[in-house]
Amino acid sequence: AQRVTQPEKLLSVFKGAPVELKCNYSYSGSPELFWYVQYSRQRLQLLLRHISRESIKGFTADLNKGETSFHLKKPFAQEEDSAMYYCALRAGTSYGKLTFGQGTILTVHP
Amino acid sequence: DTGVSQDPRHKITKRGQNVTFRCDPISEHNRLYWYRQTLGQGPEFLTYFQNEAQLEKSRLLSDRFSAERPKGSFSTLEIQRTEQGDSAMYLCASSLGDRPYEQYFGPGTRLTVT
Protein backbone atom coordinates (compact mmCIF):
# COMPACT_ATOMS: atom_id res chain seq x y z
CA ALA A 1 0.00 0.00 0.00
CA GLN A 2 1.13 3.53 -0.67
CA ARG A 3 1.44 6.33 1.85
CA VAL A 4 2.19 10.05 1.64
CA THR A 5 3.48 12.01 4.61
CA GLN A 6 3.67 15.77 4.98
CA PRO A 7 5.42 16.33 8.28
CA GLU A 8 4.45 19.99 8.70
CA LYS A 9 0.82 20.92 9.32
CA LEU A 10 1.69 24.63 9.38
CA LEU A 11 4.45 26.62 7.75
CA SER A 12 4.91 30.37 8.07
CA VAL A 13 7.36 32.49 6.13
CA PHE A 14 7.77 36.16 5.29
CA LYS A 15 7.26 37.55 1.81
CA GLY A 16 10.41 37.17 -0.26
CA ALA A 17 11.80 34.31 1.83
CA PRO A 18 12.42 30.86 0.36
CA VAL A 19 9.88 28.20 1.14
CA GLU A 20 10.05 24.40 1.11
CA LEU A 21 7.07 22.17 1.78
CA LYS A 22 8.14 18.65 2.59
CA CYS A 23 6.60 15.47 1.20
CA ASN A 24 7.76 11.90 1.72
CA TYR A 25 6.17 8.82 0.27
CA SER A 26 6.28 5.08 0.55
CA TYR A 27 5.47 2.89 -2.41
CA SER A 28 7.24 -0.16 -3.69
CA GLY A 29 6.62 0.52 -7.37
CA SER A 30 7.19 3.50 -9.64
CA PRO A 31 4.92 6.33 -8.53
CA GLU A 32 3.71 9.53 -10.06
CA LEU A 33 3.85 12.46 -7.64
CA PHE A 34 1.82 15.64 -7.66
CA TRP A 35 1.20 18.77 -5.68
CA TYR A 36 -2.36 20.01 -5.35
CA VAL A 37 -3.25 23.40 -3.85
CA GLN A 38 -6.39 24.83 -2.29
CA TYR A 39 -6.58 28.60 -1.97
CA SER A 40 -9.01 30.17 0.46
CA ARG A 41 -12.62 29.62 -0.65
CA GLN A 42 -11.52 27.83 -3.78
CA ARG A 43 -11.49 24.22 -4.90
CA LEU A 44 -8.65 21.81 -4.76
CA GLN A 45 -6.62 22.06 -7.98
CA LEU A 46 -3.52 20.56 -9.52
CA LEU A 47 -0.39 22.67 -9.11
CA LEU A 48 2.27 20.50 -10.69
CA ARG A 49 3.35 16.94 -11.48
CA HIS A 50 6.83 15.51 -11.29
CA ILE A 51 6.89 14.16 -14.83
CA SER A 52 6.39 17.56 -16.43
CA ARG A 53 9.32 19.08 -14.53
CA GLU A 54 7.69 22.49 -14.98
CA SER A 55 7.85 25.57 -12.79
CA ILE A 56 4.32 26.68 -11.97
CA LYS A 57 3.80 30.04 -10.22
CA GLY A 58 7.49 29.89 -9.37
CA PHE A 59 7.18 26.52 -7.63
CA THR A 60 9.28 23.49 -8.51
CA ALA A 61 9.43 19.98 -7.13
CA ASP A 62 11.97 17.26 -7.79
CA LEU A 63 11.29 13.59 -7.26
CA ASN A 64 14.10 12.03 -5.24
CA LYS A 65 13.62 8.29 -5.44
CA GLY A 66 16.56 7.59 -3.15
CA GLU A 67 15.05 9.62 -0.34
CA THR A 68 11.45 8.91 -1.46
CA SER A 69 10.72 12.62 -1.31
CA PHE A 70 8.98 15.20 -3.47
CA HIS A 71 9.50 18.52 -1.74
CA LEU A 72 7.90 21.69 -3.13
CA LYS A 73 10.13 24.73 -3.32
CA LYS A 74 9.91 28.39 -4.21
CA PRO A 75 12.84 30.78 -3.88
CA PHE A 76 10.81 33.90 -3.09
CA ALA A 77 7.42 33.42 -1.46
CA GLN A 78 4.54 35.79 -2.23
CA GLU A 79 1.50 36.57 -0.10
CA GLU A 80 -0.76 35.02 -2.73
CA ASP A 81 1.00 31.69 -2.17
CA SER A 82 -0.80 31.35 1.16
CA ALA A 83 -2.91 28.22 0.83
CA MET A 84 -3.27 24.58 1.79
CA TYR A 85 -0.89 22.34 -0.13
CA TYR A 86 -1.36 18.60 -0.59
CA CYS A 87 1.19 16.17 -1.91
CA ALA A 88 -0.39 13.26 -3.78
CA LEU A 89 0.77 9.97 -5.27
CA ARG A 90 -0.65 7.83 -8.07
CA ALA A 91 0.47 4.23 -8.08
CA GLY A 92 1.46 2.73 -11.38
CA THR A 93 -1.21 0.07 -10.98
CA SER A 94 -4.03 2.51 -10.40
CA TYR A 95 -6.42 3.93 -12.98
CA GLY A 96 -6.51 7.27 -11.26
CA LYS A 97 -6.72 6.87 -7.51
CA LEU A 98 -4.72 9.57 -5.79
CA THR A 99 -3.32 9.06 -2.30
CA PHE A 100 -3.03 12.40 -0.54
CA GLY A 101 -0.91 13.56 2.36
CA GLN A 102 -2.42 15.36 5.33
CA GLY A 103 -1.67 18.78 3.87
CA THR A 104 0.43 21.77 4.90
CA ILE A 105 -1.05 25.22 5.49
CA LEU A 106 1.38 27.80 4.13
CA THR A 107 1.07 31.35 5.41
CA VAL A 108 3.16 34.06 3.81
CA HIS A 109 3.33 37.19 5.95
CA PRO A 110 3.83 40.66 4.42
CA ASP B 1 -19.48 24.72 -18.08
CA THR B 2 -18.70 25.99 -14.63
CA GLY B 3 -16.81 22.95 -13.49
CA VAL B 4 -17.72 20.04 -11.27
CA SER B 5 -20.87 20.63 -9.24
CA GLN B 6 -22.12 18.81 -6.17
CA ASP B 7 -25.49 18.81 -4.49
CA PRO B 8 -26.31 19.41 -1.72
CA ARG B 9 -23.48 21.50 -0.34
CA HIS B 10 -24.44 20.72 3.23
CA LYS B 11 -26.43 17.87 4.73
CA ILE B 12 -27.35 17.32 8.36
CA THR B 13 -28.93 14.00 9.14
CA LYS B 14 -29.70 11.84 12.14
CA ARG B 15 -27.86 8.65 12.82
CA GLY B 16 -29.48 5.74 11.04
CA GLN B 17 -30.90 7.76 8.15
CA ASN B 18 -29.93 7.27 4.53
CA VAL B 19 -28.41 10.11 2.49
CA THR B 20 -27.65 10.54 -1.20
CA PHE B 21 -25.26 13.00 -2.80
CA ARG B 22 -25.05 13.98 -6.44
CA CYS B 23 -22.06 14.95 -8.55
CA ASP B 24 -22.14 16.46 -12.03
CA PRO B 25 -18.70 16.27 -13.66
CA ILE B 26 -17.30 18.46 -16.39
CA SER B 27 -19.21 17.37 -19.47
CA GLU B 28 -16.36 15.98 -21.57
CA HIS B 29 -14.73 14.13 -18.67
CA ASN B 30 -15.27 10.38 -18.76
CA ARG B 31 -13.61 9.64 -15.41
CA LEU B 32 -15.25 10.43 -12.09
CA TYR B 33 -13.89 9.99 -8.57
CA TRP B 34 -15.29 10.19 -5.04
CA TYR B 35 -13.13 11.08 -2.06
CA ARG B 36 -13.87 11.63 1.60
CA GLN B 37 -12.08 14.22 3.71
CA THR B 38 -12.19 14.47 7.48
CA LEU B 39 -10.90 17.38 9.52
CA GLY B 40 -7.14 17.76 9.38
CA GLN B 41 -6.68 15.06 6.77
CA GLY B 42 -6.19 14.98 3.06
CA PRO B 43 -8.83 13.53 0.75
CA GLU B 44 -9.16 9.73 0.93
CA PHE B 45 -10.11 7.84 -2.21
CA LEU B 46 -13.44 6.05 -2.16
CA THR B 47 -14.23 4.96 -5.70
CA TYR B 48 -13.69 5.68 -9.38
CA PHE B 49 -15.76 5.39 -12.56
CA GLN B 50 -14.77 5.31 -16.17
CA ASN B 51 -17.94 6.17 -18.04
CA GLU B 52 -20.60 4.07 -16.28
CA ALA B 53 -18.24 1.34 -15.08
CA GLN B 54 -17.08 1.39 -11.47
CA LEU B 55 -13.47 0.25 -11.84
CA GLU B 56 -11.93 0.75 -8.45
CA LYS B 57 -13.25 0.80 -4.88
CA SER B 58 -11.49 1.49 -1.64
CA ARG B 59 -11.80 -0.81 1.32
CA LEU B 60 -13.05 2.30 3.09
CA LEU B 61 -16.24 1.88 1.08
CA SER B 62 -18.17 -0.40 3.41
CA ASP B 63 -21.34 -2.17 2.35
CA ARG B 64 -23.32 0.84 3.62
CA PHE B 65 -21.84 2.93 0.82
CA SER B 66 -22.85 2.60 -2.80
CA ALA B 67 -22.04 4.72 -5.81
CA GLU B 68 -23.53 4.75 -9.28
CA ARG B 69 -23.00 6.50 -12.57
CA PRO B 70 -25.84 5.07 -14.60
CA LYS B 71 -25.41 6.92 -17.89
CA GLY B 72 -21.79 7.83 -17.63
CA SER B 73 -22.61 11.42 -16.76
CA PHE B 74 -23.66 12.39 -13.22
CA SER B 75 -22.96 10.15 -10.26
CA THR B 76 -24.65 9.51 -6.92
CA LEU B 77 -23.12 8.37 -3.66
CA GLU B 78 -25.51 6.85 -1.14
CA ILE B 79 -24.78 6.13 2.49
CA GLN B 80 -27.23 3.88 4.26
CA ARG B 81 -27.79 3.76 8.03
CA THR B 82 -25.47 6.71 8.62
CA GLU B 83 -23.14 6.69 11.61
CA GLN B 84 -21.47 9.62 13.36
CA GLY B 85 -18.16 8.49 11.90
CA ASP B 86 -19.53 9.21 8.43
CA SER B 87 -19.43 12.94 9.18
CA ALA B 88 -16.99 14.36 6.64
CA MET B 89 -16.63 16.36 3.45
CA TYR B 90 -17.44 14.24 0.41
CA LEU B 91 -15.56 15.41 -2.67
CA CYS B 92 -16.21 14.53 -6.27
CA ALA B 93 -13.65 15.01 -9.03
CA SER B 94 -13.53 14.33 -12.74
CA SER B 95 -10.85 14.04 -15.37
CA LEU B 96 -10.20 13.30 -18.99
CA GLY B 97 -9.30 9.72 -19.78
CA ASP B 98 -5.77 10.49 -20.89
CA ARG B 99 -5.03 12.80 -17.94
CA PRO B 100 -6.22 10.90 -14.87
CA TYR B 101 -3.81 12.76 -12.63
CA GLU B 102 -5.36 16.15 -13.45
CA GLN B 103 -8.49 15.83 -11.42
CA TYR B 104 -10.94 18.74 -11.23
CA PHE B 105 -12.61 18.84 -7.87
CA GLY B 106 -16.06 19.99 -6.93
CA PRO B 107 -16.87 22.13 -3.90
CA GLY B 108 -17.80 19.11 -1.80
CA THR B 109 -20.81 18.07 0.26
CA ARG B 110 -20.37 18.47 3.99
CA LEU B 111 -22.21 15.74 5.88
CA THR B 112 -22.96 16.05 9.58
CA VAL B 113 -24.48 13.05 11.32
CA THR B 114 -26.06 13.88 14.68
Side-chain angles (χ1 to χ4, degrees), chain B residues 87-102:
Chain B
S87 295
M89 178 75 86
Y90 289 83
L91 294 167
C92 176
S94 68
S95 75
L96 290 169
D98 60 348
R99 297 170 71 88
Y101 53 85
E102 189 168 3

mmCIF file of all heavy atoms in Angstrom, chain B residues 87-102:
data_model
loop_
_atom_site.group_PDB
_atom_site.id
_atom_site.type_symbol
_atom_site.label_atom_id
_atom_site.label_comp_id
_atom_site.label_asym_id
_atom_site.label_seq_id
_atom_site.Cartn_x
_atom_site.Cartn_y
_atom_site.Cartn_z
ATOM 1 N N SER B 87 -19.512 11.487 9.295
ATOM 2 C CA SER B 87 -19.434 12.944 9.178
ATOM 3 C C SER B 87 -18.115 13.326 8.537
ATOM 4 O O SER B 87 -17.038 12.954 9.036
ATOM 5 C CB SER B 87 -19.544 13.602 10.555
ATOM 6 O OG SER B 87 -20.813 13.357 11.119
ATOM 7 N N ALA B 88 -18.190 14.035 7.430
ATOM 8 C CA ALA B 88 -16.994 14.365 6.642
ATOM 9 C C ALA B 88 -17.412 15.245 5.483
ATOM 10 O O ALA B 88 -18.599 15.488 5.252
ATOM 11 C CB ALA B 88 -16.331 13.096 6.113
ATOM 12 N N MET B 89 -16.401 15.692 4.735
ATOM 13 C CA MET B 89 -16.631 16.357 3.451
ATOM 14 C C MET B 89 -16.502 15.297 2.378
ATOM 15 O O MET B 89 -15.500 14.556 2.351
ATOM 16 C CB MET B 89 -15.598 17.462 3.233
ATOM 17 C CG MET B 89 -15.730 18.163 1.896
ATOM 18 S SD MET B 89 -17.130 19.292 1.862
ATOM 19 C CE MET B 89 -16.364 20.754 2.556
ATOM 20 N N TYR B 90 -17.489 15.197 1.511
ATOM 21 C CA TYR B 90 -17.441 14.236 0.413
ATOM 22 C C TYR B 90 -17.160 15.001 -0.876
ATOM 23 O O TYR B 90 -17.937 15.858 -1.284
ATOM 24 C CB TYR B 90 -18.732 13.442 0.329
ATOM 25 C CG TYR B 90 -18.835 12.477 1.498
ATOM 26 C CD1 TYR B 90 -19.313 12.901 2.741
ATOM 27 C CD2 TYR B 90 -18.374 11.168 1.391
ATOM 28 C CE1 TYR B 90 -19.345 12.049 3.828
ATOM 29 C CE2 TYR B 90 -18.404 10.311 2.469
ATOM 30 C CZ TYR B 90 -18.887 10.757 3.688
ATOM 31 O OH TYR B 90 -18.903 9.912 4.774
ATOM 32 N N LEU B 91 -16.023 14.695 -1.485
ATOM 33 C CA LEU B 91 -15.560 15.408 -2.665
ATOM 34 C C LEU B 91 -15.719 14.545 -3.906
ATOM 35 O O LEU B 91 -15.445 13.350 -3.880
ATOM 36 C CB LEU B 91 -14.076 15.768 -2.518
ATOM 37 C CG LEU B 91 -13.713 16.764 -1.426
ATOM 38 C CD1 LEU B 91 -12.211 16.768 -1.189
ATOM 39 C CD2 LEU B 91 -14.174 18.154 -1.809
ATOM 40 N N CYS B 92 -16.129 15.187 -4.963
ATOM 41 C CA CYS B 92 -16.208 14.534 -6.267
ATOM 42 C C CYS B 92 -15.190 15.211 -7.178
ATOM 43 O O CYS B 92 -14.942 16.424 -7.056
ATOM 44 C CB CYS B 92 -17.615 14.686 -6.823
ATOM 45 S SG CYS B 92 -17.841 14.022 -8.476
ATOM 46 N N ALA B 93 -14.596 14.452 -8.058
ATOM 47 C CA ALA B 93 -13.649 15.006 -9.025
ATOM 48 C C ALA B 93 -13.864 14.318 -10.363
ATOM 49 O O ALA B 93 -14.409 13.201 -10.424
ATOM 50 C CB ALA B 93 -12.219 14.809 -8.550
ATOM 51 N N SER B 94 -13.453 14.967 -11.433
ATOM 52 C CA SER B 94 -13.534 14.331 -12.744
ATOM 53 C C SER B 94 -12.269 14.643 -13.530
ATOM 54 O O SER B 94 -11.533 15.583 -13.201
ATOM 55 C CB SER B 94 -14.775 14.793 -13.508
ATOM 56 O OG SER B 94 -14.699 16.155 -13.869
ATOM 57 N N SER B 95 -12.031 13.827 -14.542
ATOM 58 C CA SER B 95 -10.846 14.040 -15.370
ATOM 59 C C SER B 95 -11.080 13.484 -16.757
ATOM 60 O O SER B 95 -11.982 12.665 -16.986
ATOM 61 C CB SER B 95 -9.620 13.377 -14.743
ATOM 62 O OG SER B 95 -9.649 11.962 -14.912
ATOM 63 N N LEU B 96 -10.220 13.903 -17.666
ATOM 64 C CA LEU B 96 -10.198 13.304 -18.986
ATOM 65 C C LEU B 96 -9.520 11.935 -18.887
ATOM 66 O O LEU B 96 -8.697 11.695 -18.004
ATOM 67 C CB LEU B 96 -9.422 14.190 -19.962
ATOM 68 C CG LEU B 96 -10.106 15.511 -20.322
ATOM 69 C CD1 LEU B 96 -9.133 16.426 -21.066
ATOM 70 C CD2 LEU B 96 -11.342 15.246 -21.195
ATOM 71 N N GLY B 97 -9.835 11.063 -19.830
ATOM 72 C CA GLY B 97 -9.300 9.717 -19.775
ATOM 73 C C GLY B 97 -7.792 9.642 -19.897
ATOM 74 O O GLY B 97 -7.149 8.809 -19.274
ATOM 75 N N ASP B 98 -7.212 10.567 -20.679
ATOM 76 C CA ASP B 98 -5.770 10.487 -20.889
ATOM 77 C C ASP B 98 -4.987 11.357 -19.900
ATOM 78 O O ASP B 98 -3.773 11.455 -19.993
ATOM 79 C CB ASP B 98 -5.420 10.894 -22.330
ATOM 80 C CG ASP B 98 -5.859 12.308 -22.660
ATOM 81 O OD1 ASP B 98 -6.634 12.893 -21.871
ATOM 82 O OD2 ASP B 98 -5.443 12.827 -23.706
ATOM 83 N N ARG B 99 -5.686 11.983 -18.965
ATOM 84 C CA ARG B 99 -5.030 12.802 -17.936
ATOM 85 C C ARG B 99 -5.652 12.508 -16.575
ATOM 86 O O ARG B 99 -6.211 13.387 -15.923
ATOM 87 C CB ARG B 99 -5.150 14.289 -18.271
ATOM 88 C CG ARG B 99 -4.460 14.695 -19.559
ATOM 89 C CD ARG B 99 -4.822 16.129 -19.941
ATOM 90 N NE ARG B 99 -4.214 17.112 -19.056
ATOM 91 C CZ ARG B 99 -2.999 17.641 -19.241
ATOM 92 N NH1 ARG B 99 -2.257 17.264 -20.269
ATOM 93 N NH2 ARG B 99 -2.523 18.536 -18.406
ATOM 94 N N PRO B 100 -5.553 11.268 -16.121
ATOM 95 C CA PRO B 100 -6.221 10.899 -14.868
ATOM 96 C C PRO B 100 -5.652 11.581 -13.645
ATOM 97 O O PRO B 100 -6.293 11.644 -12.608
ATOM 98 C CB PRO B 100 -6.011 9.378 -14.794
ATOM 99 C CG PRO B 100 -4.772 9.133 -15.584
ATOM 100 C CD PRO B 100 -4.808 10.130 -16.705
ATOM 101 N N TYR B 101 -4.434 12.095 -13.776
ATOM 102 C CA TYR B 101 -3.813 12.756 -12.635
ATOM 103 C C TYR B 101 -4.342 14.181 -12.455
ATOM 104 O O TYR B 101 -4.253 14.753 -11.387
ATOM 105 C CB TYR B 101 -2.296 12.810 -12.851
ATOM 106 C CG TYR B 101 -1.934 13.421 -14.180
ATOM 107 C CD1 TYR B 101 -1.828 14.803 -14.334
ATOM 108 C CD2 TYR B 101 -1.746 12.618 -15.292
ATOM 109 C CE1 TYR B 101 -1.539 15.366 -15.553
ATOM 110 C CE2 TYR B 101 -1.451 13.180 -16.526
ATOM 111 C CZ TYR B 101 -1.350 14.549 -16.648
ATOM 112 O OH TYR B 101 -1.074 15.100 -17.863
ATOM 113 N N GLU B 102 -4.873 14.775 -13.522
ATOM 114 C CA GLU B 102 -5.364 16.152 -13.454
ATOM 115 C C GLU B 102 -6.843 16.107 -13.135
ATOM 116 O O GLU B 102 -7.698 16.184 -14.024
ATOM 117 C CB GLU B 102 -5.115 16.901 -14.755
ATOM 118 C CG GLU B 102 -5.423 18.399 -14.630
ATOM 119 C CD GLU B 102 -4.907 19.199 -15.808
ATOM 120 O OE1 GLU B 102 -4.358 18.588 -16.755
ATOM 121 O OE2 GLU B 102 -5.063 20.431 -15.782
#
